Amino acid sequence: MSNRIELQEQAHFALMDVNRHWSEALTAEQEGDLVRSHCAFEDMITAARAGKAALEAVESMLEETRSREHVA
């Protein structure tokens, strides 16, 4: 299981990937390469989902910590 810092880093890098893929999609579209644009857009969606999963895991960890602290 990853720790919170690792998950936060994964989310951060996923966001950077989203930005990179968005830029690639935009450039490809401007160049008229719709296939490459579509592929970059799909990669952007995949990166966004990975980031979301990492953030949800962090949120779950924080909720577990809060509930343990509340019980104690």
Side-chain angles (χ1 to χ4, degrees), residues 22-68:
W22 177 82
S23 179
E24 290 171 356
L26 181 62
T27 299
E29 184 179 328
Q30 290 171 343
E31 293 172 354
D33 188 346
L34 298 181
V35 172
R36 195 177 86 205
S37 176
H38 181 76
C39 289
F41 184 73
E42 287 181 351
D43 290 343
M44 181 180 67
I45 292 170
T46 300
R49 287 180 177 150
K52 180 182 178 193
L55 288 174
E56 287 174 345
V58 169
E59 185 177 321
S60 176
M61 286 178 164
L62 292 174
E63 287 175 5
E64 287 177 19
T65 301
R66 286 185 200 119
S67 68
R68 277 188 262 136

